[in-house]
Amino acid sequence: GALSPPSRSKAAGMKRLALGIALSVGAACRALSADLSAPVVPQLPMPAYTWTGIHFGINGGYGLGQVSPMGLYTDAFSAFNFNASGGLAGLTAGAQIQSGHTVLGIEADIDWAKISGSGSGQISFNGSPIGTATLSSKVSSVSTLRARVGYAADNWLVYVTGGLAATDQMSNLTGPIGFVCGTGASNSPPCSSLSSLHPGLAAGAGFEYGITANLSAKGEWIWVGAGAVNTLTENMLRAGFNWRFGM
């Protein structure tokens, strides 16, 4: 028979509820289907550390080696070697480029130094002894211009280096026995040498660690041989910081 009015209202409500559920389920299925069909965008890896750029820095350390300073006067005189050591500090500038793990660059530095030493012994003129004296020597600066070749592993860099060097070195002769210095005679050496730059060579190795994308810390060993007749050989142990600008 015909439904009473309350029954018809209840049936209409049930139909509306069923329709709402069906619509909700359909919307959820469409959303899920869209999510499943959407392309998955891979996460980009973090950029690798790079050593490419121009850098400026500071360095400091200690030098120790040997001096044979008579070559600073003239090559007609020869004498003994003695130890010379002292501190140094200075500035660095350079540029490098990285390709894969290989890092190629060039670097220049100037260090103000207090490297000194003295000793006493025999003085010779053209190979013949003329007497004894005390020699003292002081190195006031060491400069280098070097190529660098390195291997990079993320923010670690190890390298070898080599190039040119120049030292500002002077020497004094005191207490001569058997001869007199500074007379102007050919067999009389000056009592002091001129302070001037003396060319030479530099070579060494080191490591550098990237603290941030721009700031790095380094430690290195640099051998320097310089002077008119190789009057100075020094081993410099240095540490420093570089600030790099990307290229």
Side-chain angles (χ1 to χ4, degrees):
L3 294 174
S4 63
S7 298
R8 285 196 300 270
S9 176
K10 184 176 180 180
M14 293 295 293
K15 288 180 181 179
R16 287 195 295 270
L17 177 61
L19 180 60
I21 293 172
L23 290 174
S24 298
V25 171
C29 290
R30 287 194 300 272
L32 179 61
S33 175
D35 287 343
L36 292 175
S37 62
V40 177
V41 179
Q43 262 194 326
L44 294 177
M46 293 294 290
Y49 195 91
T50 177
W51 291 94
T52 297
I54 298 171
H55 62 268
F56 299 92
I58 57 174
N59 73 79
Y62 196 80
L64 61 163
Q66 285 198 326
V67 180
S68 179
M70 287 305 295
L72 299 179
Y73 297 86
T74 167
D75 56 10
F77 292 92
S78 60
F80 47 89
N81 296 336
F82 54 85
N83 294 332
S85 59
L88 49 90
L91 304 174
T92 304
Q96 54 197 13
I97 187 168
Q98 180 176 351
S99 177
H101 290 287
T102 303
V103 180
L104 303 176
I106 188 168
E107 188 170 77
D109 52 56
I110 178 170
D111 280 18
W112 292 269
K114 287 187 176 181
I115 299 173
S116 60
S118 64
S120 300
Q122 182 176 278
I123 306 295
S124 297
F125 174 67
N126 289 330
S128 299
I130 60 173
T132 62
T134 296
L135 290 172
S136 60
S137 187
K138 179 181 179 182
V139 179
S140 56
S141 72
V142 180
S143 304
T144 71
L145 175 62
R146 298 168 284 105
R148 295 205 322 178
V149 179
Y151 178 87
D154 293 328
N155 55 343
W156 282 99
L157 172 66
V158 292
Y159 59 87
V160 294
T161 182
L164 303 176
T167 63
D168 190 350
Q169 179 188 357
M170 70 171 298
S171 180
N172 291 313
L173 187 153
T174 57
I177 299 174
F179 68 97
V180 178
C181 67
T183 66
S186 61
N187 64 344
S188 174
C191 295
S192 63
S193 69
L194 296 176
S195 178
S196 59
L197 293 177
H198 306 284
L201 299 175
F207 67 90
E208 198 163 348
Y209 176 76
I211 301 171
T212 70
N214 301 101
L215 179 65
S216 59
K218 70 175 182 179
E220 63 185 3
W221 158 74
I222 303 290
W223 173 89
V224 170
V229 286
N230 198 28
T231 63
L232 170 72
T233 57
E234 283 289 320
N235 292 284
M236 301 188 301
L237 301 175
R238 303 190 302 192
F241 295 94
N242 288 331
W243 183 266
R244 186 171 56 259
F245 300 89
M247 296 173 61

